[in-house]
């Protein structure tokens, strides 16, 4: 149950710290250091204050904060020692249900990482697909210790920001949700293409496949964004537009079989909080797309 | 070893008939009926004369011609009773190496077809993928007997035309080859994109997958057409353009991961003897394609 | 000063008729025939009732209604005998300030038209440019008398609808305004192009030229639609996008002089009440556009 | 009458020098310095040797070479003191038929330039439109003396190269001609658009307007390139494609008036020896273009 910013602004110091003590994993001192700066006008201002407290902490405190996080997909996770928040976040990607092979791979990466840096690999899993986690994991293994500590703190910031947005209702929430939308235009009719079936798939070695199916409305759009209300996961995707069936239903002349039937648009998302508008302009013989906004 | 049109025009009647007796399967009478019309100025004229002889034959002769063909992927094929030409043509698609399941499916279709029409299903396999053969098979089962006899004769004409073009060298060959070409344009640089890896795949339930890989040259094209020198097989294909690697190699700014990495263009071929030019115009954030010529 | 629908629904019959008597030119009987159908839930319902009264009138009444309209740009107009509404409508297009040559041309068309049909040429000038009026004039001269009477009544309906929307405030107004909007996307950056100067010009033999200038905002759009709040005039237009200056300001590499500098998009508007979205997707070397919505 | 490279390779030294003495204006010493390097395998090799002789000359010789050129569109030109080659080159752009106002403008620029640099402004007019000459003139007035002497020598090289290509037949001519081509694709039909009227106009304050009209053939191209066989003049151009008439003739549904009628593509040419392929992909409601090759 989320609380409200008003409530936190007015609460006893102990209640404030108890409520926000878990925003930064096993680090209630972050909440303690900002309680005196109340009232906060916006949720974003509260978050900025907490982030500033972390940035201003000693190196030892920062390292302890990093070390307080569970291993990703590792033994700890299986043994059930994570906080409820961590369990929920990692579970959202299926990291608590890894195959033996994946478990082994994460294990090897965790071991190499721990040996190199002396703390667990931290990543804000709600902003990633499994593939992009593995990519990041391997890339970050090449970092210098200082660069990697900075990278870990940055991820901790993303995790805390999402937790705070979940935990506290109030004005001026920081932007944590992205959006993926589309639009289909029929360039033969010069009109939005209504009734086009659109499928969104996640691609990748361990992708879950179909994420969403929708049909375009009279304006050539889907009634709700294909993705929204949460960070977009960094990763590879494919939109599939069933334009062959659309043109056949309208009686637009085409070849048999139609030159274009299901049109795939393959793209990657790099900005979890961004707006990706990926439209399709199509005739039975041509199409174009672009990242719009 | 192909012969020449000049040789056939000058040869004894018996040699002419012996040489061309197999162009129409088990029907040397077709060659016999045109031998008196020599000389033929072009290979196309020779083909047209033979096709006219078939069109002008009696219904009984036409039916016998149709019945002279082997079942597609059926028992006869396995038993080795096909002519060498039939074996080579069906083998090109792997119809002599069907899995048990596919063999059974072809068997069921053959049986239903034979029961309905009283003659074997004939299709010019060199103009088809396995998927389009199965599609045609199922569609043609719905034909009236008269429409289906016409369809069978049309396919026999395609088969004979290809055999004739293989067997006889000379001027004025009928067009039997199609062509698939591409071109990649970098819309950031306003120049052909050189060094882009391009893969061509056949799609479909029983597709063989990768047909060809190439890299674009300085003119943004492949040195040789992706497909050519033979009929294009009716079916579904996917071109994959590795534009992410291309832009990265040039240092063109992009996202990380790049919005566009491998761009798939999925399309169908409906005209085996046609020219399909399928270009890609791309920036790191947009692309378009069309059937050109 | 517009009145309100509520007021008209509650007013004396005489007030109602006096207020709406001029909606159909010199034809207060139209208002009289609908006064008994009050109350009207929406302005559109009121308009529909009045239009139905015209459609249900006798041929003689309809002809009298048509004949009650002034000649377009003709002697009457110069002599000042038009109603205030007619004067304002025709004046909006400069039809009261015709050059001698144009005046003569309108005169000839008016004369030919009057001789052929026996009533003045009527067109809802607020939905037209001068060029499209002349086009319509010449085309409609070829109509049969019955088709032309129908055409005249249709235009009278458009005129009345606009007058009613101007005269009466209230819920459910009929849609009389169109909209022209644009959007500029930079396909090199994969982002909206901000700061692009856009000019809208009317084209045509007697066009006024520049209608509007704007600069795209951070979203690549203009802060307000290029046209809106009124019917779009049927006619020819040109949007001019200053993309050369935009790319130069961003430092995007280009040729010298740039391949694309001012990009003109020339198009026609055929639906005065429609939404025309005419975007530009551009790199320094390529662009595309389409009618969107 | 052009001579041949073979002839020049075998000729007396005096004949060689007499024949090529005018390639560099009033500077027969350039020919003299390369005569000993014969034979030249290609015309390009001959040109390169002459250009190297100029590059290796003393500063005094280079300055004398520059000063040997006539003023552009100046008094000398009017007085008839130019060499035949200079007269022909400047005449091609109408620089010998300037209006009094243009003559005065050139006069002012010539005077300012002469005062600043002490030698006449030289530009290879066959590579320019009047507008780009004026642009260059004004820009180069801002050069340092050293940069401007280099700029002048570069232009002298272009002039000499064109003269040499005109004067000497033989293998391996340097590339001096550019090419402008187009292609129209109908994205509704997925085919080349045949029968589309295309006009090419030069734009600019003193442009001559229509340069060429053509109609696309069955392949959607013009039978001959729109421009070719000579350097393309640096400048601004507009292609106009009459797609409205094309789609109307084919019966492709469109609005009335059609959204797209005459489609202008405005572009600049910056590389006189380049190939500009400027295609149009169009439906009645959308189009795109790009610089292709």
């Amino acid at each position: 149950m989320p609380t409200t910013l008003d409530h936190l602004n007015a609460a006893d110091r102990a209640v404030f710290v108890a409520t926000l003590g878990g925003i930064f994993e096993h680090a209630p001192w972050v909440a303690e250091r900002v309680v005196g700066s109340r009232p906060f006008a916006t949720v974003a201002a509260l978050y900025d204050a907490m982030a500033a407290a972390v940035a201003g902490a000693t190196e030892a405190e920062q390292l302890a904060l990093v070390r307080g996080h569970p291993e990703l997909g590792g033994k700890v996770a299986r043994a059930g020692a994570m906080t409820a928040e961590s369990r929920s976040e990692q579970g959202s990607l299926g990291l608590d249900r890894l195959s033996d092979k994946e478990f082994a791979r994460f294990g090897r990466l965790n071991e190499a990482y721990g040996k190199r840096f002396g703390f667990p690999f931290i990543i804000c899993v709600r902003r990633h697909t499994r593939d992009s986690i593995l990519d990041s994991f391997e890339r970050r293994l090449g970092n210098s210790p200082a660069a990697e500590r900075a990278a870990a703190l940055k991820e901790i910031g993303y995790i805390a920001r999402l937790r705070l947005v979940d935990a506290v209702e109030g004005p001026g929430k920081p932007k944590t949700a992205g959006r993926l939308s589309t639009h289909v235009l029929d360039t033969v009719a010069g009109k939005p293409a209504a009734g086009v079936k659109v499928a969104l798939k996640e691609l990748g070695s361990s992708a879950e496949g179909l994420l969403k199916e929708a049909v375009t409305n009279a304006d050539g759009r889907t009634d709700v964004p294909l993705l929204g209300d949460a960070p977009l996961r960094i990763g590879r995707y494919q939109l599939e537009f069933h334009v062959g069936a659309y043109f056949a239903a309208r009686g637009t002349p085409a070849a048999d079989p139609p030159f274009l039937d299901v049109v795939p648009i393959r793209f990657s998302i790099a900005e979890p909080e961004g707006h990706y508008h990926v439209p399709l302009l199509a005739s039975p013989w041509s199409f174009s797309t672009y990242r719009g906004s």
Side-chain angles (χ1 to χ4, degrees), chain A:
Chain A
M1 282 290 295
T3 183
T4 67
L5 185 62
D6 281 352
H7 178 76
L8 289 174
N9 276 330
D12 277 357
R13 294 174 65 105
V15 169
F16 179 93
V17 171
T19 308
L20 300 184
I23 296 296
F24 285 82
E25 187 98 357
H26 297 308
W29 56 265
V30 182
E32 281 159 12
R33 289 190 194 171
V34 305
V35 69
S37 303
R38 294 184 299 171
F40 297 103
T42 63
V43 180
L46 169 57
Y47 173 72
D48 291 343
M50 296 180 87
V54 171
T58 65
E59 195 178 313
E61 287 171 324
Q62 291 178 344
L63 266 174
L65 173 62
V66 171
R67 290 199 179 105
H69 283 73
E71 269 199 352
L72 192 70
K75 282 173 205 137
V76 178
R78 289 215 160 175
M82 290 193 286
T83 63
E85 282 92 342
S86 278
R87 203 155 44 232
S88 155
E89 287 154 9
Q90 297 199 10
S92 69
L93 205 61
L95 291 180
D96 55 351
R97 295 181 308 274
L98 295 175
S99 71
D100 285 349
K101 194 173 159 188
E102 289 172 317
F103 185 76
R105 183 171 179 199
F106 269 108
R108 278 193 304 277
L109 283 163
N110 273 330
E111 192 183 332
Y113 187 96
K115 197 169 292 175
R116 175 155 169 75
F117 298 116
F119 49 78
F121 175 73
I122 302 171
I123 193 163
C124 179
V125 297
R126 286 166 69 186
R127 299 173 82 249
H128 286 270
T129 56
R130 284 200 208 181
D131 272 18
S132 69
I133 288 175
L134 286 168
D135 280 356
S136 291
F137 215 154
E138 270 154 18
R139 269 206 254 182
R140 283 169 52 186
L141 266 171
N143 272 348
S144 71
E148 184 52 23
R149 199 172 62 242
L153 287 172
K154 194 169 178 186
E155 294 295 324
I156 287 172
Y158 289 134
I159 295 168
R161 195 172 60 177
L162 281 165
R163 290 179 179 179
L164 191 69
V165 163
D166 288 346
V168 183
E169 287 305 325
K173 286 190 157 191
K175 178 174 174 52
T176 53
R179 187 152 56 101
L180 172 66
S181 59
T182 191
H183 184 212
V184 188
L185 194 97
D186 172 344
T187 59
V188 173
K191 287 192 182 147
V196 178
K197 189 177 143 190
V198 181
L200 173 67
K201 294 180 178 167
E202 184 186 326
L203 303 181
S205 56
S206 54
E208 292 174 41
L210 186 68
L211 295 182
K212 181 98 171 229
E213 279 188 317
V215 172
T216 56
N217 58 24
D219 195 32
R221 303 175 195 275
T222 58
D223 287 336
V224 294
L226 292 162
L227 296 174
D229 298 326
L232 305 178
R233 293 184 184 277
I234 294 168
R236 295 166 57 233
Y237 298 86
Q238 187 160 295
L239 276 166
E240 296 181 355
F241 297 90
H242 293 240
V243 300
Y246 164 80
F247 284 118
R250 278 182 64 86
T252 308
D256 177 22
F259 181 66
L260 299 177
D261 186 5
V262 175
V263 169
I265 303 292
R266 197 178 290 173
F267 63 96
S268 288
I269 284 176
E271 304 164 36
E273 293 82 23
H275 177 200
Y276 285 75
H277 182 63
V278 183
L280 183 75
L281 318 177
S283 86
W285 300 98
S286 65
F287 69 91
S288 60
T289 190
Y290 53 91
R291 181 188 172 179
S293 66

